[in-house]
């Protein structure tokens, strides 16, 4: 428990109602959002051109470079699970974000050094796609991959906690408009991130193209330094909720307790024959019917299960109703979470669109501004940002008149529409690549991987816009959905579920590329993902993604049907800042005010 001398200091999740409004609020938003914004500008500014850095400077094949980036992205998206665990169970969100920010700064600095010192890279090679060039040695690869790992660890501290940390600053259950405030916060926060990514894949990529890798990697290091300073400057203003238990330990206790009590017979819920274990003041005094087997973990077998103070003698044999419901909440969302993996593969297409744009006419108008190949992803971010702003201010008010729901589309509807649009996006990408490849062959560029096709790269814009719209619907819907299903004590884990889905999607994407490269080049054939886009069949690759995405839509419909059909009557009212006590005060026990559990009479 936090010290009572200073009520404005750090509080645990169960004490947050005692935090005065002198802390948090809108005044903290510049510091919180600037941290996320500068981190996104810095980190995402490195990604678009990285395939060119790996193929041109480290002499990797396209397939190898793409797999390196898929795996790097996967690690970056897996690490938030560790960050969420440390945040929600031990360190709190503020400290995890601060440590992650510093670690990212160190990782970016190491990557910058690979560009500064020629010894950190293989000897220069003019045509790595057609010549046999010297490959990077073990020390050079260790330096490069070490910088990637440190940046991934840093992302693991920032990404699962930043959004939830910002929500902590604004959460005010006494405000009747708080639900609408939180919805706007989610939308505008995501829009600010989209704006940051737009800047990173235009300005940073342009600097890399025009000024080279030393300056191009140095600018993100400077931005990450600003991100670190800004976040730490706001420290005196933040509400810093600290965890008061290990959620992962709690989940393990519920699982073991349910297994240890597997021989218990659960009475019908309506009979009231069971005695459930819960803490004093908790709203959760009876478990829900869903996943009923786990209810055995909180069922009291005899008075000998608890001590004189009303505490469980063995928390691995008897858990509270709240612990059981927290684990249920996590299990219930997993099927819907899994439906987001395939769209994560689509969203994570970073390498191939850059190589396609690099082989096309990238002038915005004939003879005018030439767009960097890595900057075409900005069209996805522009679409996402416009959609978020329009949805929040235009679409929701219009839809609410017809649906009678203040949030417009339901979260499930938003996620579903996002999945459908992602199918269209990959189909369009396949059609455009088929047209580009045919044009290259007609123009005699089949054997020239460096040739520029007489076809405008603006043909790539529709697929990027569709991906941005799909992400704006599905990604934001996912994050809000997890946040709505979990108590605030699990908020970071809820947000981390989205990044975990992205991580699995990255690994699936890497696996698809590896399998296609191995299978399609057998018997002397040219690989679909060949080093030469004009000889390969990247259009077939996009059609394969389209087929998987269509199957995934039907899988999602099955998941929401199962979730909805079993959710009725099982709505959980979480203990949110209600002063629930985990233990008795000494004077309460002396005055006979009862124990943390209640036996029905």
């Amino acid at each position: 428990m936090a010290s009572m001398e200073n009520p404005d200091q750090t509080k645990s999740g169960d004490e947050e109602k005692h935090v005065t409004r002198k802390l948090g609020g809108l005044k903290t938003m510049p510091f919180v959002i600037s941290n996320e914004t500068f981190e996104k500008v810095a980190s995402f500014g490195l990604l678009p051109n990285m395939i060119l850095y790996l193929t041109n400077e480290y002499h990797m094949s396209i397939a190898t470079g793409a797999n390196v980036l898929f795996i790097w992205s996967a690690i970056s998206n897996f690490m938030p699970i560790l960050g969420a665990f440390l945040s929600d169970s031990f360190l709190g969100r503020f400290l995890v974000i601060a440590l992650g920010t510093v670690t990212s700064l160190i990782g970016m600095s190491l990557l910058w050094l690979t560009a500064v010192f020629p010894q950190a890279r293989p000897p220069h090679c003019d045509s790595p796609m057609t010549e046999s060039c010297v490959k990077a040695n073990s020390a050079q690869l260790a330096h490069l991959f070490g910088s990637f790992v440190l940046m991934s660890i840093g992302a693991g501290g920032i990404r699962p906690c930043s959004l939830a940390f910002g929500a902590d600053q604004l959460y005010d259950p006494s405000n009747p408009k708080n639900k609408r405030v939180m919805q706007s916060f989610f939308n505008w926060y995501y829009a600010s991130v989209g704006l940051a990514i737009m800047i990173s894949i235009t300005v940073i990529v342009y600097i890399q193209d025009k000024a080279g890798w030393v300056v191009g990697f140095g600018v993100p290091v400077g931005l990450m330094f600003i991100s670190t300073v800004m976040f730490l400057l706001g420290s005196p203003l933040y509400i810093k909720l600290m965890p008061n238990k290990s959620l992962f330990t709690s989940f393990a206790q519920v699982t073991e307790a349910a297994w240890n009590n597997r021989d218990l017979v659960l009475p019908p819920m309506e009979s009231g024959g069971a005695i459930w274990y819960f803490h004093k003041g908790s709203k959760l005094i009876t478990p829900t019917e869903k996943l009923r087997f786990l209810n055995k973990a909180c069922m009291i077998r005899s008075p000998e299960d608890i001590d004189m103070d009303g505490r469980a003698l063995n928390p691995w044999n008897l858990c509270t109703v709240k612990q059981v419901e927290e684990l249920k909440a996590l299990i219930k969302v997993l099927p819907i979470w899994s439906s987001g993996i395939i769209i994560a593969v689509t969203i994570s297409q970073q390498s191939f669109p850059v190589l396609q744009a690099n082989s096309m006419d990238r002038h915005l108008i004939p003879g005018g501004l030439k767009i960097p190949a890595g900057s075409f992803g900005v069209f996805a971010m522009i679409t996402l940002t416009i959609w978020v702003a329009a949805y929040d201010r235009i679409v929701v008010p219009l839809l609410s008149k017809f649906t009678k729901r203040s949030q417009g589309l339901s979260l499930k509807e938003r996620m579903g529409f996002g999945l459908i649009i992602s199918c269209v996006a990959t189909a369009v990408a396949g059609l455009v690549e088929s047209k580009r490849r045919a044009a290259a062959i007609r123009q005699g560029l089949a054997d020239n991987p460096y040739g520029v096709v007489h076809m405008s790269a603006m043909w790539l814009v529709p697929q990027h816009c569709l991906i941005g719209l799909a992400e704006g619907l599905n990604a934001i819907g996912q994050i809000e959905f997890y946040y709505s299903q979990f108590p605030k004590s699990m908020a970071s884990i809820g947000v981390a579920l989205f990044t975990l889905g992205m991580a699995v999607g990255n690994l699936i994407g890497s696996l698809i590329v590896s399998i296609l490269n191995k299978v399609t080049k057998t018997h002397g054939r040219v690989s679909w993902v060949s080093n030469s886009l004009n000889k390969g069949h990247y259009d077939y690759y996009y059609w394969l993604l389209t087929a998987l995405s269509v199957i995934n839509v039907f899988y999602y419909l099955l998941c929401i049907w199962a979730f909805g059909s079993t959710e009725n009557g099982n709505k959980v009212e979480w203990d949110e800042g209600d002063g629930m006590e985990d233990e008795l005060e000494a004077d309460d026990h002396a005055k006979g005010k009862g124990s943390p559990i209640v036996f029905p009479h």
Side-chain angles (χ1 to χ4, degrees):
M1 304 281 278
S3 171
M4 295 301 293
E5 281 82 3
N6 189 348
D8 285 349
Q9 295 302 309
T10 300
K11 299 290 181 181
S12 71
D14 292 332
E15 296 175 292
E16 74 178 280
K17 78 169 186 177
H18 300 298
V19 178
T20 71
R21 300 313 299 175
K22 293 179 181 178
L23 296 181
L26 292 175
K27 61 181 175 293
T28 63
M29 290 300 101
F31 300 100
V32 176
I33 293 180
S34 65
N35 171 256
E36 177 86 353
T37 300
F38 283 117
E39 188 271 337
K40 283 292 187 291
V41 172
S43 60
F44 280 82
L46 297 173
L47 192 57
N49 273 341
M50 191 57 66
I51 185 65
L52 301 178
Y53 189 63
L54 296 180
T55 55
N56 294 336
E57 302 297 332
Y58 281 81
H59 311 153
M60 296 182 185
S61 69
I62 290 178
T64 300
N67 279 333
V68 167
L69 296 184
F70 269 128
I71 293 172
W72 179 26
S73 295
I75 296 173
S76 298
N77 287 315
F78 269 123
M79 281 298 172
I81 298 299
L82 176 60
F85 169 62
L86 292 174
S87 167
D88 284 353
S89 302
F90 297 106
L91 302 179
R93 290 171 193 139
F94 170 77
L95 188 55
V96 169
I97 294 173
L99 292 174
T101 302
V102 173
T103 305
S104 285
L105 176 60
I106 296 172
M108 289 182 188
S109 299
L110 285 178
L111 179 63
W112 176 57
L113 293 178
T114 66
V116 171
F117 298 108
Q119 298 86 351
R121 309 184 307 276
H124 179 70
C125 183
D126 290 328
S127 303
M129 293 296 180
T130 55
E131 298 179 21
S132 179
C133 303
V134 178
K135 302 296 183 182
N137 59 41
S138 299
Q140 291 167 339
L141 290 176
H143 186 170
L144 176 69
F145 295 156
S147 68
F148 287 169
V149 169
L150 285 174
M151 285 188 282
S152 295
I153 293 173
I158 298 171
R159 294 179 186 177
C161 302
S162 186
L163 183 64
F165 186 70
D168 289 341
Q169 311 309 309
L170 297 177
Y171 181 74
D172 183 9
S174 63
N175 182 359
K177 297 182 179 179
N178 188 245
K179 184 176 181 180
R180 184 74 179 101
V181 170
M182 295 301 292
Q183 184 187 39
S184 293
F185 167 70
F186 279 121
N187 285 334
W188 286 105
Y189 194 95
Y190 210 93
S192 70
V193 171
L195 180 62
I197 297 175
M198 279 194 288
I199 295 173
S200 69
I201 58 183
T202 52
V203 178
I204 304 299
V205 169
Y206 183 82
I207 292 172
Q208 291 169 357
D209 279 8
K210 296 300 180 182
W213 300 113
V214 175
V215 177
F217 288 168
V219 171
V221 172
L223 292 173
M224 199 65 218
F225 178 76
I226 296 173
S227 172
T228 305
V229 172
M230 286 293 292
F231 184 73
L232 296 178
L233 282 177
S235 178
L237 303 175
Y238 299 144
I239 293 173
K240 302 170 186 175
L241 304 180
M242 289 297 292
N244 58 3
K245 66 175 181 177
S246 168
L247 284 172
F248 282 59
T249 300
S250 175
F251 295 158
Q253 288 174 339
V254 172
T255 303
E256 180 166 334
W259 177 254
N260 291 341
N261 299 334
R262 61 188 180 278
D263 294 332
L264 289 178
V265 177
L266 291 170
M269 296 295 292
E270 62 275 7
S271 70
I275 301 175
W276 309 111
Y277 175 56
F278 55 89
H279 285 159
K280 178 183 177 182
S282 176
K283 298 174 184 175
L284 296 171
I285 61 175
T286 304
T288 58
E289 273 286 297
K290 196 169 187 181
L291 300 171
R292 214 166 165 250
F293 172 80
L294 294 176
N295 293 351
K296 297 181 179 183
C298 60
M299 183 177 174
I300 300 176
R301 295 170 297 185
S302 69
E304 285 74 24
D305 289 339
I306 58 174
D307 62 16
M308 293 294 294
D309 293 330
R311 301 182 183 88
L313 287 173
N314 186 353
W316 294 89
N317 281 330
L318 181 62
C319 303
T320 64
V321 174
K322 182 181 179 184
Q323 285 178 275
V324 171
E325 291 305 316
E326 285 173 342
L327 180 56
K328 285 183 180 182
L330 179 61
I331 295 173
K332 285 189 293 186
V333 303
L334 289 180
I336 290 180
W337 165 82
S338 66
S339 70
I341 292 174
I342 294 299
I343 191 175
V345 177
T346 301
I347 294 173
S348 301
Q349 297 300 312
Q350 301 284 348
S351 304
F352 300 148
V354 173
L355 296 171
Q356 287 174 286
N358 206 40
S359 70
M360 302 170 75
D361 180 5
R362 292 180 277 115
H363 289 94
L364 190 59
I365 56 175
L369 176 67
K370 188 176 183 180
I371 303 175
S375 294
F376 277 81
V378 73
F379 293 104
M381 291 300 102
I382 290 173
T383 304
L384 185 151
T385 305
I386 292 174
W387 166 253
V388 168
Y391 183 79
D392 191 63
R393 295 302 176 188
I394 300 174
V395 178
V396 168
L398 289 176
L399 286 176
S400 62
K401 295 179 180 179
F402 298 98
T403 63
K404 306 303 180 184
R405 297 189 300 238
S406 61
Q407 72 271 31
L409 294 173
S410 71
L411 298 178
K412 294 177 185 177
E413 289 168 346
R414 288 166 66 181
M415 289 188 287
F417 284 128
L419 294 179
I420 293 172
I421 293 173
S422 72
C423 299
V424 181
T426 52
V428 170
L431 289 171
V432 171
E433 172 55 18
S434 179
K435 180 178 177 64
R436 188 210 63 81
R437 183 178 181 274
I441 293 174
R442 281 198 312 271
Q443 295 165 27
L445 298 176
D447 297 320
N448 183 6
Y450 298 100
V452 176
V453 181
H454 299 314
M455 176 179 173
S456 174
M458 294 299 109
W459 279 91
L460 299 173
V461 172
Q463 69 195 56
H464 285 291
C465 291
L466 288 168
I467 289 174
L469 182 58
E471 183 176 0
L473 284 163
N474 185 269
I476 300 177
Q478 278 194 64
I479 293 172
E480 286 195 55
F481 177 72
Y482 303 142
Y483 198 85
S484 70
Q485 295 299 309
F486 294 157
K488 282 182 63 59
S489 60
M490 294 173 61
S492 293
I493 289 181
V495 175
L497 273 178
F498 171 71
T499 61
L500 177 62
M502 292 295 295
V504 177
N506 295 144
L507 292 180
I508 296 296
S510 177
L511 182 64
I512 291 172
V513 170
S514 297
I515 292 175
L516 285 180
N517 188 47
K518 183 177 181 179
V519 172
T520 59
K521 69 179 181 182
T522 56
H523 307 299
R525 295 176 295 183
V526 178
S527 169
W528 285 7
V529 288
S530 167
N531 278 348
S532 173
L533 267 67
N534 302 332
K535 285 187 174 181
H537 264 292
Y538 286 82
D539 49 345
Y540 293 174
Y541 168 76
Y542 284 123
W543 285 117
L544 175 61
L545 290 186
T546 302
L548 292 174
S549 298
V550 170
I551 295 172
N552 187 57
V553 170
F554 289 99
Y555 171 69
Y556 172 76
L557 294 175
L558 177 63
C559 290
I560 61 171
W561 172 81
F563 186 92
S565 65
T566 54
E567 184 68 4
N568 295 333
N570 285 275
K571 179 66 176 176
V572 177
E573 184 180 4
W574 297 106
D575 301 319
E576 302 286 18
D578 57 359
M580 185 192 73
E581 297 175 18
D582 283 343
E583 56 186 71
L584 286 174
E585 298 294 334
D587 60 342
D588 284 348
H589 185 69
K591 295 174 183 176
K593 290 188 177 179
S595 72
I597 61 171
V598 177
F599 288 89
H601 297 289

